[in-house]
């Protein structure tokens, strides 16, 4: 699946426009989930569940809209999938900066997601530390004792900030993660608000990570991440037993090329 400038490096797929990127990303995400559903069905699992985590920001909005419309609306195994948030800004749910609000607008209010299958961060709690703690507690209820100490999400969708951040892990913003699955981070990025975020070890336990990058303002960061610049948090996403795919439009991939497609 390549078009645009035709890069088919190890894990980088380039689409000519943001609209084609969104469509391709919906298709890839559906493909990952469909494959997982087929595996679970073959295994005879009596209560199959697929766990995915979605990022906020603006890039994935159109992808979520595609996912909630035909042909995916009918084909996506909504009854098996549980949706979690990669991160959330510490703002009220109706705030225009809320990632949960964006998910509601673009996906959850359009697709037949069963009740109880979307797990939002509760930003009505006392603060992001409490929000992270309670969110992790809820996830631990679904994953009591994961091997290796971190649950293996079937798919995690990540964006990339111009500064190379991903989730709410920002360059130069220290955070203690330890064995935590979710933590609170200090105000950084745009909007500069406190956040709750997945930790890197949790992201790196995933089976599949899909990065989305759109626009020329992401070209430098995407090149940095593809070439493994250690100063960029997104460069540290490297699941030991998982696969990372980068989907970008031509503008975002303008500075990348085949030699950058893999990790040096
Ligand atoms: C957030 C996101 C964040 C996002 C990047 C890219 O809460 O801001 O989770 O990690 O993916 O900042 O954001 P855009 O897609 O808006 O460029």
């Amino acid at each position: 699946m390549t078009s645009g400038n035709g890069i088919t490096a190890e894990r980088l797929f380039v689409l000519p426009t943001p609209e084609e990127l969104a469509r391709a990303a919906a298709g890839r995400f559906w493909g990952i989930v469909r494959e997982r559903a087929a595996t679970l069905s073959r295994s005879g699992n009596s209560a199959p569940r697929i766990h995915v985590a979605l990022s906020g920001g603006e890039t994935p909005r159109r992808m979520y809209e595609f996912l909630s419309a035909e042909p995916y609306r009918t084909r996506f195994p909504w009854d098996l999938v549980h949706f979690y948030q990669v991160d959330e800004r510490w703002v009220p749910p109706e705030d225009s900066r809320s990632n949960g609000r964006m998910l509601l607008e673009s996906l959850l209010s359009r697709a037949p997601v069963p009740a109880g299958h979307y797990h939002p961060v509760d930003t009505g709690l006392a603060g992001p530390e409490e929000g992270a703690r309670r969110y992790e507690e809820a996830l631990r209820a679904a994953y009591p004792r994961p091997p290796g100490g971190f649950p293996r999400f079937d798919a995690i969708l990540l964006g990339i900030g111009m500064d190379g951040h991903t989730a709410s892990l920002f360059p130069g913003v220290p955070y203690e993660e330890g064995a935590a699955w979710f933590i609170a981070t200090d105000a950084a990025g745009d909007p500069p608000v406190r956040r709750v975020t997945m930790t890197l070890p949790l992201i790196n336990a995933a089976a599949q990570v899909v990065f989305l990058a759109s626009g020329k303002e992401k070209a430098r960061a995407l090149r940095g991440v593809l070439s493994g610049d250690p100063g960029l948090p997104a460069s540290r996403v490297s699941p030991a037993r998982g696969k990372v795919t980068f989907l970008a439009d031509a503008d975002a991939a303008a500075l990348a090329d085949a030699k950058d497609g893999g990790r040096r």
Side-chain angles (χ1 to χ4, degrees), residues 55-60 87 89 99 159-161 165-168 195 218:
S55 278
E58 273 312 306
T59 304
D87 60 346
R89 294 89 179 266
N99 285 335
I160 298 179
H165 82 258
T166 193
S168 286
R195 293 145 176 264
K218 300 295 178 74

Side-chain angles (χ1 to χ4, degrees), residues 142-169:
Y143 275 103
R145 280 174 305 287
F150 293 91
R152 190 170 195 228
F153 273 82
D154 297 293
I156 298 179
L157 185 90
L158 295 176
I160 298 179
M162 287 188 283
D163 58 2
H165 82 258
T166 193
S168 286
L169 305 172

Side-chain angles (χ1 to χ4, degrees), residues 79-245:
D79 56 323
L80 302 184
V81 180
H82 282 255
F83 295 89
Y84 290 83
Q85 288 190 268
V86 167
D87 60 346
E88 182 56 284
R89 294 89 179 266
W90 202 255
V91 295
E94 67 279 1
D95 190 300
S96 61
R97 300 168 296 176
S98 161
N99 285 335
R101 174 174 157 173
M102 190 275 272
L103 282 173
L104 195 64
E105 290 169 349
S106 59
L107 180 65
L108 303 167
S109 61
R110 300 164 178 237
V113 177
H117 279 228
Y118 167 55
H119 307 273
V121 172
D122 181 356
T123 59
L125 293 168
E129 284 78 7
E130 177 68 3
R133 191 180 66 77
R134 296 278 289 275
Y135 202 55
E136 179 168 325
E137 253 176 31
L139 187 58
R140 284 186 184 275
Y143 275 103
R145 280 174 305 287
F150 293 91
R152 190 170 195 228
F153 273 82
D154 297 293
I156 298 179
L157 185 90
L158 295 176
I160 298 179
M162 287 188 283
D163 58 2
H165 82 258
T166 193
S168 286
L169 305 172
F170 291 86
V173 177
Y175 49 83
E176 277 307 309
E177 59 197 15
W181 297 1
F182 286 87
I183 56 172
T185 56
D186 288 339
D190 176 21
V193 295
R194 299 205 68 206
R195 293 145 176 264
V196 169
T197 182
M198 275 185 159
T199 59
L200 207 56
L202 178 58
I203 293 170
N204 280 333
Q208 295 265 4
V209 173
V210 178
F211 274 104
L212 275 198
S214 174
K216 59 183 180 306
E217 69 277 7
K218 300 295 178 74
R220 190 174 301 282
L222 179 60
R223 181 180 60 186
V225 173
L226 287 171
S227 55
D229 177 346
L232 307 180
S235 295
R236 297 172 59 199
V237 172
S238 179
R241 295 185 303 119
K243 182 175 179 184
V244 181
T245 305

